[in-house]
């Protein structure tokens, strides 16, 4: 027998009814693919490991499928929604399907890539079905913005999940892998079929779980390290030394010698490629580039600067 205090999750029929009520036509521009399977949202909440003490940020709650499942498990949900129509309707949906939890939801009408703060107690977890077209920048922005986040589970396009969780040497290892590793230990947490969405996407989906960890010890700022990471993967076939030469040549006469000295100081071979380095090695190399004068720090701000990632 269902507990009357438990949220009533949305079925496929509920999702379509709400969409019809709102005259909603999901758009690719906003990456709108709504989960219509209650078992999938239960699985996401279970795999995320959130519990009664957690304050969860959800990005792109849409019609509320995952929101309802989260409200049944956590202390509070802050849902960030960019679509005014969906943001306005969500509280009413929660009141209808989870009246006992209605006061534990706060809806923020905002673009998650541009939000600068989250209201209420510091959030402890991020759980979301991220819009696929902006999933990586949204994830990195929130990791940087909200240091109180201890862990998270996000659903993204399967190939993106592979890139986020990849390790050095993998063909999928790249900029998202290194930047995510700056903030957290990241792993693949499963696959999601296409038939649990409406409309069904043309790509497979994957779950990515992460646990916050201390960033690498570095004198250089995160922005400077991320500049080096971006340059390292801009031309994957080149050695790292060759890939960095254009950005270090601006340091003036003797730039080549300073670049060589930085590699030696960081303990890296001249033939190493960016795809072989862990995030800690990128941090050590950036420290060496700054120390030898091969890399001029970007801007004049201090360590609080954030990369645009």
């Amino acid at each position: 027998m269902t507990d009357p205090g438990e949220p009533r999750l949305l079925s496929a029929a509920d999702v379509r009814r709400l969409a019809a009520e709102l005259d909603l036509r999901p758009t690719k521009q906003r990456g709108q693919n709504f989960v219509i399977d209650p078992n999938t949202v239960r699985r996401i909440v279970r795999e995320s490991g959130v519990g009664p003490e957690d304050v969860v940020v959800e990005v792109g709650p849409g019609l509320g499928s995952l929101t309802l499942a989260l409200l049944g498990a956590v202390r509070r949900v802050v849902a960030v929604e960019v679509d005014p129509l969906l943001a306005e309707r969500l509280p009413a949906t929660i009141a209808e399907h989870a009246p006992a939890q209605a006061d534990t939801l706060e809806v923020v009408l905002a673009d998650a890539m541009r939000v600068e703060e989250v209201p209420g107690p510091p959030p402890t977890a991020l759980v979301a079905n991220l819009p696929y077209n902006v999933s990586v920048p949204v994830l990195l922005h929130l990791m940087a913005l909200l240091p109180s986040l201890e862990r998270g589970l996000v659903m993204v396009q399967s190939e993106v999940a592979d890139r986020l969780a990849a390790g050095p040497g993998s063909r999928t290892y790249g900029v998202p892998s290194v930047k995510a590793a700056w903030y957290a230990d990241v792993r693949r947490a499963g696959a999601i079929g296409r038939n649990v969405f409406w409309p069904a996407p043309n790509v497979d989906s994957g779950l990515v779980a992460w646990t916050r960890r201390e960033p690498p010890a570095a004198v250089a700022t995160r922005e400077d390290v991320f500049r080096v990471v971006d340059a390292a993967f801009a031309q994957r076939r080149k050695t790292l030394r060759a890939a960095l030469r254009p950005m270090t040549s601006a340091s003036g006469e003797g730039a080549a010698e300073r670049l060589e000295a930085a590699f030696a100081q960081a303990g890296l071979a001249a033939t190493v490629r960016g795809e072989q380095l862990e995030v800690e090695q990128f941090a050590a190399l950036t420290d060496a580039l700054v120390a030898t004068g091969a890399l001029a720090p970007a801007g004049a701000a201090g360590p609080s600067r954030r990369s645009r990632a």
Side-chain angles (χ1 to χ4, degrees):
M1 184 174 178
T2 304
D3 184 341
E6 287 294 310
R8 178 168 59 85
L9 302 185
L10 297 182
S11 65
D14 290 324
V15 170
R16 290 188 171 90
R17 173 182 57 80
L18 286 167
E21 173 193 319
L22 297 172
D23 193 23
L24 176 67
R25 294 174 177 81
T27 69
K28 284 187 178 180
Q29 181 183 4
R30 288 182 172 168
Q32 290 175 327
N33 299 94
F34 303 115
V35 180
I36 57 175
D37 176 43
N39 286 330
T40 297
V41 293
R42 290 190 188 101
R43 175 188 171 192
I44 292 171
V45 173
R46 182 175 65 250
E47 294 285 347
S48 72
V50 294
E53 299 305 314
D54 280 302
V55 175
V56 176
V57 173
E58 182 189 6
V59 174
L63 293 168
S65 297
L66 178 57
T67 315
L68 284 162
L70 285 167
L71 287 170
V74 305
R75 171 184 162 198
R76 171 182 162 87
V77 174
V78 180
V80 182
E81 175 58 63
V82 70
D83 188 320
L85 186 68
L86 295 174
E88 183 179 0
R89 182 62 174 86
L90 186 57
T93 301
I94 301 307
E96 294 165 9
H97 287 256
Q101 288 82 25
D103 63 350
T104 64
L105 169 72
E106 180 156 0
V107 181
V108 176
L109 176 60
D111 182 340
M113 286 198 296
R114 292 175 173 80
V115 69
E116 291 299 326
E117 61 181 356
V118 172
T124 57
L126 169 66
V127 183
N129 171 22
L130 291 177
Y132 287 177
N133 53 339
V134 293
S135 56
V136 171
V138 165
L139 177 60
L140 294 176
H141 173 63
L142 292 177
M143 283 177 158
L145 178 70
L146 303 171
S148 62
L149 292 174
E150 299 166 2
R151 59 194 177 283
L153 184 81
V154 294
M155 181 157 53
V156 296
Q157 185 176 333
S158 184
E159 292 179 358
V160 174
D162 289 339
R163 288 197 288 271
L164 284 167
S170 165
R171 65 181 180 83
T172 55
Y173 186 68
V175 171
S177 322
V178 182
K179 291 184 179 180
W182 176 275
Y183 304 102
D185 293 317
V186 184
R187 62 178 177 84
R188 276 294 298 257
I192 300 289
R194 302 182 187 191
N195 62 346
V196 305
F197 296 97
W198 174 77
N202 295 322
V203 295
D204 294 322
S205 303
L207 297 176
V208 174
W210 57 271
T211 304
R212 174 79 68 173
R213 69 182 182 91
E214 287 297 312
V219 175
T221 65
R222 180 178 65 234
E223 182 182 37
D224 287 332
V225 176
F226 282 9
R227 286 170 60 209
V228 171
V229 172
D230 287 335
F233 288 98
Q235 301 179 70
R236 292 182 69 104
R237 293 186 179 181
K238 288 189 174 183
T239 65
L240 182 56
R241 180 179 59 178
L244 295 182
R245 193 169 290 132
M247 72 181 300
T248 57
S249 62
S251 63
E253 187 178 349
E257 291 76 11
R258 286 191 287 274
L259 181 59
E260 296 292 341
F263 270 77
Q265 183 174 318
L268 296 175
T271 55
V272 72
R273 297 181 186 274
E275 63 202 43
Q276 298 172 275
L277 268 58
E278 297 180 344
V279 66
E280 289 83 3
Q281 291 172 297
F282 274 109
L285 175 59
T286 306
D287 276 351
L289 289 167
V290 173
T292 60
L295 179 67
S304 64
R305 287 177 281 125
R306 290 199 301 274
S307 167
R308 284 187 245 171

